[in-house]
Amino acid sequence: MRVQIHGSELAAATAAAALSWVGHQVRWVPHASMRWPALQAADWLRREPDLLERLEEGLEQGTLSLANGEGSNPGEAIDILWLALSPEQREEADELVAEVAGSQQGALILVNNSTFPVGETERLETRLGGNGRRAVALVDMIEEGRAWASFTRPGRWLLGCDDEHAEAQVRELLRAFNRRRDVMQLMPRRAAELTKLATIGMLATRISYMNEIAGLADSLGVDVEYVRQGMGADSRIGYEYLYPGCGFGGPHFSRDLMRLADVQEASGRQSALLEQVLDINEQKKETLFRKLWTHFHGQLEGRTVAIWGAAFKPGSARIDHAPVLTLLRALWAQGVRVQLHDPAAVPALRAEVGDHPLLSLFDGDLYAACENADALMLVTEWKHYWNPDWSRLAGLLNEKLLLDGRNIYDPAHVASWGLVYRGIGRRAEP
């Protein structure tokens, strides 16, 4: 099929790579805010396993072509117009769809893979000009850090579609990724759009609720790990997204959560629950700072703290809405010097905060960040932080304090090395 993809989101890059990989003729039009040269150099794209290689392979084989600044190609007929734009580019979508539709003769399917307001896919269909042209909502299910795998071996496709012909076309488009079993979940377009936002809201609620329980466990002298395992063993609950921590972030998770809040407000319905979820998360981003403050009785000026991890999640180079940003501001306000290590997000952090006099950045030796530090804060649970050289670490930290923001360490084991352990609702005592 002949596919034209618009956008510079991770979803657009992944769709361009995957669809051209299986033989579709794909023309990718990156957004003007980030053309191909910038995308090619972006850390977040380069660190996605397989993705950049597949894009370059498609370009070499000729199944993928890139627009060089121009938009749609009036002389080239297409079967599928695929939109993977950011919410901020919503107004541009109108003109883009009208432009492409006006240059086409005959059938055209619009695949809206953007996170736009509920009802936007139906509205965009009116810009197609009729003549049997249809728009469907294909919910963005891409997982950052494993985008290629989540597209090519999907757990499910959530398709909002009200037309049999459009459904058949999308199924054919994605047939190569739907062979093991039928992973296509079909529903009306508005239902699919709301389902995406509602799912994000549910996951965020689970995280924030577990963080509240961790705070209660702290107050009651209970190790929250017992509580987490007990809750997760209940088949009605399960273990997913049931890990307390120092807050969540990310360009898509946080953005989609705010989009759900906007939908609630636009509908005239105030969600006290969603407001609480957002408030709890912002408070949790400071939880490691509060533990540090308590341990040193507020005497923080002049101290040095090591931080392991800045990215909003392991496997990513992004720091959008990441807890580390809130944590840094709180530490610097008290005159604390920070020595931060992250294997991927150092360039993004440097671009965000610049050359701050109280910040030193490391992306090589993780122990270099701990030299002459009073305490270590674990913020992002990269795998190579899980089993450090405990003897070496204990020798580097002046005050022997370890603040575990992701509860990845065993409190008793850490204490056995002479370190003081503080987790999120966890205790070193039995």
Side-chain angles (χ1 to χ4, degrees):
M1 301 179 83
R2 298 162 298 178
V3 185
Q4 186 165 290
I5 298 173
H6 287 260
S8 293
E9 298 283 288
L10 177 59
T14 308
L19 294 176
S20 62
W21 180 56
V22 296
H24 294 298
Q25 293 299 310
V26 178
R27 184 170 186 268
W28 181 19
V29 187
H31 189 261
S33 62
M34 184 170 278
R35 293 298 189 193
W36 174 242
L39 280 167
Q40 199 172 17
D43 280 339
W44 60 264
L45 181 58
R46 298 178 68 86
R47 290 187 175 274
E48 281 289 339
D50 300 319
L51 187 51
L52 189 56
E53 292 85 349
R54 294 300 186 187
L55 286 168
E56 293 172 344
E57 179 182 300
L59 290 169
E60 183 179 343
Q61 293 182 352
T63 53
L64 174 63
S65 63
L66 276 160
N68 296 312
E70 72 275 11
S72 60
N73 187 345
E76 182 180 344
I78 60 174
D79 304 300
I80 304 291
L81 173 60
W82 182 296
L83 299 187
L85 302 170
S86 72
E88 295 76 23
Q89 294 157 5
R90 173 192 170 199
E91 292 184 3
E92 298 177 44
D94 263 9
E95 296 180 9
L96 192 157
V97 172
E99 178 189 352
V100 173
S103 67
Q104 296 291 305
Q105 299 294 325
L108 179 65
I109 301 297
L110 167 62
V111 175
N112 181 18
N113 192 220
S114 313
T115 303
F116 286 159
V118 176
E120 191 70 4
T121 303
E122 293 177 8
R123 198 184 67 78
L124 286 173
E125 185 175 87
T126 66
R127 306 290 287 174
L128 290 174
N131 297 322
R133 298 174 175 182
R134 295 289 182 262
V136 304
L138 185 66
V139 172
D140 175 11
M141 308 294 286
I142 296 297
E143 297 178 40
E144 187 155 351
R146 54 180 307 273
W148 176 259
S150 57
F151 193 105
T152 59
R153 298 179 68 85
R156 64 169 176 158
W157 290 107
L158 185 56
L159 177 64
C161 182
D162 304 294
D163 180 83
E164 289 185 2
H165 174 70
E167 178 192 348
Q169 290 293 91
V170 174
R171 284 185 175 277
E172 176 60 25
L173 178 70
L174 301 174
R175 179 167 51 85
F177 316 115
N178 194 33
R179 291 196 67 194
R180 290 180 298 161
R181 59 185 177 87
D182 188 2
V183 297
M184 198 75 73
Q185 186 175 3
L186 187 67
M187 60 179 66
R189 290 174 289 192
R190 288 186 175 224
E193 292 166 334
L194 182 55
T195 298
K196 167 65 184 295
L197 299 178
T199 299
I200 294 297
M202 174 60 79
L203 298 179
T205 300
R206 285 174 67 99
I207 295 171
S208 289
Y209 178 73
M210 202 61 210
N211 278 332
E212 283 288 272
I213 295 300
L216 179 60
D218 256 340
S219 300
L220 298 176
V222 173
D223 187 340
V224 75
E225 180 64 9
Y226 292 114
V227 181
R228 185 192 69 82
Q229 292 193 23
M231 292 174 63
D234 190 319
S235 60
R236 298 169 298 177
I237 298 174
Y239 293 98
E240 296 298 322
Y241 285 77
L242 212 59
Y243 295 90
C246 57
F248 57 78
H252 304 296
F253 197 90
S254 300
R255 185 181 67 190
D256 292 347
L257 192 57
M258 294 304 300
R259 178 67 58 189
L260 178 58
D262 292 342
V263 169
Q264 289 271 18
E265 184 176 350
S267 69
R269 301 175 62 88
Q270 291 297 117
S271 173
L273 174 61
L274 192 54
E275 290 175 5
Q276 284 293 309
V277 167
L278 292 167
D279 287 345
I280 290 169
N281 187 54
E282 289 307 307
Q283 293 169 21
K284 285 300 174 182
K285 291 179 180 181
E286 290 190 351
T287 190
L288 294 184
F289 170 77
R290 291 194 294 269
K291 289 178 180 293
L292 184 76
W293 175 280
T294 299
H295 182 83
F296 290 116
H297 307 289
Q299 305 301 311
L300 297 181
E301 187 172 2
R303 293 196 177 274
T304 299
V305 169
I307 292 179
W308 279 356
F312 81 92
K313 63 178 280 189
S316 174
R318 297 193 183 189
I319 59 167
D320 310 61
H321 308 287
V324 75
L325 298 174
T326 301
L327 182 58
L328 286 174
R329 288 192 291 267
L331 291 169
W332 291 338
Q334 296 299 317
V336 177
R337 179 170 184 78
V338 176
Q339 299 175 172
L340 185 146
H341 178 276
D342 190 285
V346 164
L349 189 60
R350 184 177 288 115
E352 178 70 23
V353 304
D355 295 322
H356 196 283
L358 293 176
L359 178 65
S360 298
L361 296 173
F362 302 83
D363 57 8
D365 180 9
L366 57 92
Y367 296 101
C370 300
E371 292 181 2
N372 298 315
D374 295 304
L376 169 63
M377 294 179 171
L378 185 285
V379 176
T380 309
E381 65 276 29
W382 289 92
K383 288 301 183 185
H384 48 272
Y385 295 152
W386 281 67
N387 294 284
D389 182 335
W390 291 109
S391 178
R392 183 178 180 185
L393 190 60
L396 289 172
L397 299 177
N398 295 332
E399 299 292 337
K400 314 298 184 189
L401 176 61
L402 173 60
L403 300 165
D404 182 1
R406 298 299 173 187
N407 287 358
I408 68 172
Y409 301 124
D410 178 78
H413 183 75
V414 174
S416 72
W417 287 98
L419 291 163
V420 177
Y421 177 88
R422 297 285 184 271
I424 311 298
R426 299 223 59 193
R427 301 172 62 82
E429 299 81 12

